[in-house]
Amino acid sequence: MTPQTRKNQITSAKKVIPYLMAGDPDLDVTKALLLEASKAGVWAVELGIPFSDPTADGPVIQKAAIRALSDRTSLSSVLSFLGTIPCSERPPVFIMTYFNLFLSLTIEEFVREAKRVGGIAGAVIPDLSFEDSKEVRKAFKASGLALVPFISPTTSLPRIKKILATADGFIYFVSLLGTTGKALTLSSTMEERVRDLCLRTKLPVCVGFGIQTPEMAQKILEFSDGVIVGSRLVQEENDPVKWGSLLRQFCEVARASAPSRHQ
Amino acid sequence: MKNRKQVSESARLPDHSGYFGEFGGRFVSETLMEALYELEESFKKAWSDRSFQKEYQNVLTEFVGRPSPLTFAEGLTRHAGGARIYLKREDLNHTGAHKINNAVGQALLAKRMGKMRLIAETGAGQHGVATATVAAKYGFDCEIFMGSEDARRQSLNVFRMNLLGAKVIEVDGGTKTLKDAISEALRDWAQSVLTTHCVMGTAFGPHPFPLMVRSFQSIIGREARQQIMKKEGRLPDALVACVGGGSNSLGLFHHFIGDESVRMYGIEAGGRSLSPGDHAARFQGGRVGVLQGSKTFVLQNPDGQILRTHSVSAGLDYSAVGPELAYYFETGRVHFDMVGDEEALQAFDTLSRLEGIIPALESSHAIAYGIRLAREMGQGKTLIINLSGRGDKDVLEVARLRGGVLS
Ligand SMILES: Cc1ncc(COP(=O)(O)O)c(C=O)c1O
């Protein structure tokens, strides 16, 4: 199932979204990882584009970015690279990176390229706040791309309502205060907040940051629609086989979970 | 300047989304957004609150040692052979630079907001020392992030921060300078935002920091305006300040922005050369981008990766510049130019020998340009150079550069 078809479903399987760093250590490996992800049956992948100054990322992803940058990976090189893999052979992609890289292209160029390449569902831009994203949201919406919004433990209810009103793709619920890669401990407050969010939106609510094990994913999937697994998988990126088998464990847990209910 | 209307409008910027024209904004992770709103509201309330103003002014007088003098630089004026040169003496402030004006303001604000802990980034170490100082005075826990390359260049300031009870965290990521220290401070803040205030040291970062830092630094220009009127009976013809992120320059400029006759010069670090990575002249080699919370001029490669920078002075060694200055660049209100390492080091000597004042290497860039400008302007004109800090912190590094060994 892809993000595009999800809206027509009454119930839907729980989702796994692996985050991977494009170009770590090179794009051949990235291609192997995308094929593994496709075989594992993920809902989508978040494809990170390395940025020199990743303020929302912890050490694991910072180091992956440095490795990827030494291969001169850029937003436009990754888009061209995706264009060389048939859409049917790769999962839907959300491009994830910092806003400055989109400015090196202009948003219009990005949208045009994304359409040409195909199979790109949207983007996740951690430093593009709701307030500053109006134009990007408009340009994305006009061409069927989703700008995925974040909701964090500090987001107030009035703000949640504002964000949900224009949300698209899925809701990225940030599980903890801090950066990617920090170990998460589950709490009842998080569960309540996610359950509450699920009642307020038709979009899938996916939880990310700090999910280290399939067991933890299983617990989170009891009250959410999906999990985003980042740093834990990025640690295995140099070995696509190992990466694939770890990812499959997350996907099996998701398949064994009761499906999400959405109208 | 295009017209009078624009001038008076500038004084009211940023708009309520935190923009100066197209520059500024709040480009940070969602986790920090509510904290930025809380900070903006607290700042605006405090800034218009008489008792806060009174407390702030009182600390500036009793602890910082303000007002700082506006010294007529007789030797330097003679040396340049043109306009009369005045120095705004931020070097005489407690802790040795303008940075303390802002650190005091933000500490008082953090106290009001009930925060327990201060964190800050630092390049030259002056802002780190200033923050550690106010943390000691008001009983905050304090951690300072500093690039490991800067920590090496400014080892004296690292020691000072430790003496003041702050913990200095050396940042080894990226270029090991100010930019990486800011990233690390933002990462810490995302985790500690409920109990911690992040004391941004320059007029940069997400709204409301550029507004807040400018406001706390605007005391420089407010005093300078009164002082020059008293000494010369008229406004100065030009103002010169070095530009790292923009706090000492905006601090001097703010109360003169509406005075069309006053020309303003912001001096960036020209470093070794204008090749990418060899300088920090954002307005010469940069283009509009988004870095660390703000849309502004950024030194970056065609892919959008942030470039390394170089300057002999750690405090100017940064890839982006405050959004308000980007706006004044676009409107032409401030003229930007640069001074390289060599010329700055010469000015460091010149001021030491002619005035008996050892300037910070950052300020030496403004001094060097001020000498050129005074010569160009000619006699009968007056010029104020912001002497943003003293050079004690730089003495070891200058000795090292010249092959003398001090330790
Ligand atoms: C003495 C001194 N002057 C100038 C600067 C540059 O910063 P800004 O542009 O914010 O004044 C610094 C920064 O550390 C400094 O220490």
Side-chain angles (χ1 to χ4, degrees), chain B residues 137-188:
Chain B
K137 182 171 164 62
Y138 294 110
F140 289 102
D141 289 335
C142 182
E143 286 182 41
I144 306 291
F145 296 91
M146 190 172 192
S148 54
E149 167 64 14
D150 287 342
R152 184 195 62 71
R153 284 192 283 191
Q154 307 285 343
S155 55
L156 245 144
N157 271 343
V158 175
F159 190 64
R160 288 166 83 196
M161 289 183 265
N162 287 328
L163 281 177
L164 292 159
K167 187 168 160 204
V168 177
I169 298 169
E170 293 193 18
V171 179
D172 254 329
T175 59
K176 309 183 196 326
T177 61
L178 180 57
K179 151 176 104 65
D180 311 285
I182 295 180
S183 287
E184 210 51 36
L186 288 173
R187 289 184 190 115
D188 181 296

Side-chain angles (χ1 to χ4, degrees), chain B residues 97-99 124 126 202 242-248 315-316 360 362-363 388-389:
Chain B
H98 69 293
K99 298 284 178 187
Q126 288 305 107
T202 187
C242 66
V243 178
S247 69
N248 88 89
L316 305 184
E362 291 78 15
S363 323
S388 55

Side-chain angles (χ1 to χ4, degrees), chain A residues 50-55 57 62 69 72 74 100-101 104 126-127 129 131-132 152 154-156 159 177-179, chain B residues 19 25-31 33-34 37 179 183 187 190-191 194 287 289-291 300 302-306:
Chain A
F51 181 49
S52 51
D53 297 82
T55 49
D57 287 304
Q62 285 177 46
L69 281 173
R72 295 226 46 203
S74 70
N100 196 53
L101 296 195
S104 71
D127 62 341
S129 63
E131 282 77 352
D132 291 313
S152 98
T154 54
T155 312
S156 67
R159 193 172 165 79
L177 290 181
T179 49
Chain B
Y19 279 89
R26 279 173 285 221
F27 293 88
V28 293
S29 62
E30 173 58 25
T31 302
M33 288 303 291
E34 297 279 1
Y37 278 107
K179 151 176 104 65
S183 287
R187 289 184 190 115
Q191 172 174 330
L194 300 176
R287 66 182 158 85
V290 163
L291 183 64
Q300 52 187 316
D303 293 341
Q305 305 300 343
I306 308 307

Side-chain angles (χ1 to χ4, degrees), chain A residues 62-259:
Chain A
Q62 285 177 46
K63 284 187 192 124
I66 291 168
R67 291 192 295 268
L69 281 173
S70 68
D71 201 41
R72 295 226 46 203
T73 311
S74 70
L75 180 54
S76 43
S77 75
V78 170
L79 289 172
S80 322
F81 153 78
L82 286 174
T84 65
I85 312 171
C87 286
S88 56
E89 288 173 30
R90 55 179 153 96
V93 167
F94 288 93
I95 299 288
M96 161 124 185
T97 194
Y98 293 82
F99 192 48
N100 196 53
L101 296 195
F102 290 91
L103 292 179
S104 71
L105 274 183
T106 83
I107 290 299
E108 291 69 30
E109 276 167 7
F110 171 76
V111 166
R112 216 177 313 126
E113 261 306 275
K115 290 277 101 179
R116 190 187 64 75
V117 167
I120 296 179
V124 182
I125 312 177
D127 62 341
L128 184 60
S129 63
F130 174 76
E131 282 77 352
D132 291 313
S133 67
K134 225 177 267 164
E135 283 168 32
V136 177
R137 252 183 289 143
K138 221 164 81 190
F140 272 34
K141 202 149 246 171
S143 49
L145 294 175
L147 179 65
V148 173
F150 285 88
I151 303 240
S152 98
T154 54
T155 312
S156 67
L157 186 56
R159 193 172 165 79
I160 288 176
K161 288 181 181 163
K162 258 198 315 199
I163 292 172
L164 291 182
T166 62
D168 204 1
F170 66 94
I171 308 298
Y172 195 131
F173 183 85
V174 178
S175 61
L176 48 75
L177 290 181
T179 49
T180 55
K182 205 179 130 186
L184 170 67
T185 38
L186 291 178
S187 73
S188 53
T189 10
M190 174 173 100
E191 177 172 344
E192 278 159 33
R193 289 178 63 94
V194 174
R195 284 189 193 279
D196 178 65
L197 262 183
C198 290
L199 295 175
R200 293 177 186 278
T201 177
K202 293 176 186 172
L203 294 169
V205 176
C206 301
V207 177
F209 278 41
I211 299 174
Q212 302 278 346
T213 61
E215 293 71 41
M216 178 167 277
Q218 184 175 25
K219 291 202 180 105
I220 293 172
L221 287 170
E222 282 170 19
F223 53 85
S224 69
D225 298 315
V227 288
I228 300 142
V229 187
S231 297
R232 179 64 193 91
L233 282 167
V234 169
Q235 282 170 341
E236 310 297 344
E237 257 169 16
N238 56 355
D239 185 348
V241 176
K242 203 163 161 205
W243 188 88
S245 81
L246 181 57
L247 176 61
R248 273 193 295 280
Q249 292 176 36
F250 282 98
C251 290
E252 273 155 30
V253 160
R255 266 193 290 276
S257 303

